[in-house]
Amino acid sequence: MRVTLLGTGDTTGTPTVGCDCDTCQLARDPSDELREQLRRRDVTFTADGGVERTRFSVHIHNERTDESLLVDFSPDFRHQFLREDVALPDAAVVTHVHFDHLDGLGNCYRLVDDIDVFAADETDPETGESVAETVASDYAYLDQVSVEAQTPLESFETCGFEVTLVPVVHPPLLCYGLTVEDPETGARFAMTGDTCYDIPAASRRQLAGADLLLAEALVPADLCEYHPLGGDHHDSDGVPRTFGTKHMTREGALALAEELDATQARLVHAAHFYPAEEAFEAALAVDGEQYLLP
């Protein structure tokens, strides 16, 4: 199982369009020290030598079957696939219907002959539709796409993997993480999806014990003071593990990874609000990282 992090950023990505904050400037023009650190992580630099966190997406290749599973359709789909030169997906999963996880689906037009897109079958009180129904209605014009509704916490097979959608908490919409397991090798990948720290117990059990865990970590905890709702789900030292109500802090993501006993954890969905001196620290993923799971 080869996992490629196509997009590791939040809704605006890093660097953010029109932003000249220190973090975005450092992403555009990394210092020699940062560039060397990132080279050791085998990241992909941009044509002009910068680094990126484009909108979220993950590519998972099954080397046994030579099939590829895509998790979420980033609006940066075209750029990501050209940059990383990975195979087009044979199937995909959509975790929720926010644009930064879904709007790249239109790129399937003329690129693939057919693709199964898996999404949850639970009706969202906010939209009156399940994620599967929203994807099917919004992209009805794509004849290549077949939407397959799936029940959360019940595994299904695709691309030679066993995949399970995992309910998380990302108000006001229903949202899901997932696990992907190779039944032949036992390799196990997990991701939280967009969520606060307060993930249900059944979901935590499903996410536990992964070889690689992607945990959403929008901002460092000290930035909660700038959110209108502050922070939530504080630890014993009073550190907020949730930013507002629907995203984890860096500290929350690290605590969750330890609790879930992941062999390796990478923090994703990071915003450009991280201070420049912290924005590319070792735990925070950047686009282009690859992991070969046993």
Side-chain angles (χ1 to χ4, degrees), residues 4-57:
T4 302
L5 309 188
L6 297 179
T8 56
D10 70 333
T11 307
T12 65
T14 302
T16 294
V17 173
C19 181
D20 61 357
C21 74
D22 289 346
T23 297
C24 287
Q25 291 190 56
L26 183 60
R28 294 185 182 100
D29 185 19
S31 65
D32 290 342
E33 180 183 3
L34 175 57
R35 198 173 274 118
E36 182 57 32
Q37 292 173 5
L38 294 174
R39 282 196 186 100
R40 291 198 291 268
R41 286 155 59 180
D42 294 324
V43 306
T44 304
F45 292 91
T46 62
D48 57 2
V51 292
E52 295 182 294
R53 289 190 176 116
T54 56
R55 274 73 66 89
F56 184 81
S57 187

Side-chain angles (χ1 to χ4, degrees), residues 248-272:
M248 278 193 289
T249 62
R250 171 186 56 196
E251 289 77 0
L254 289 171
L256 181 69
E258 183 175 0
E259 181 182 326
L260 296 179
D261 195 27
T263 302
Q264 185 170 14
R266 304 299 293 143
L267 306 188
V268 296
H269 209 271
H272 70 127

Side-chain angles (χ1 to χ4, degrees), residues 16 36 50-51 58 82-83 113 135 139 166 174 177 194 213 237 256:
T16 294
E36 182 57 32
V51 292
V58 180
L82 287 172
R83 184 192 63 204
D113 293 328
V135 174
Y139 291 90
V166 180
L174 292 184
D194 286 16
L213 171 71
D237 295 321
L256 181 69

Side-chain angles (χ1 to χ4, degrees), residues 280-294:
F280 299 100
E281 60 188 6
L284 288 163
V286 295
D287 290 11
E289 295 182 16
Q290 282 197 358
Y291 298 90
L292 185 60
L293 306 189

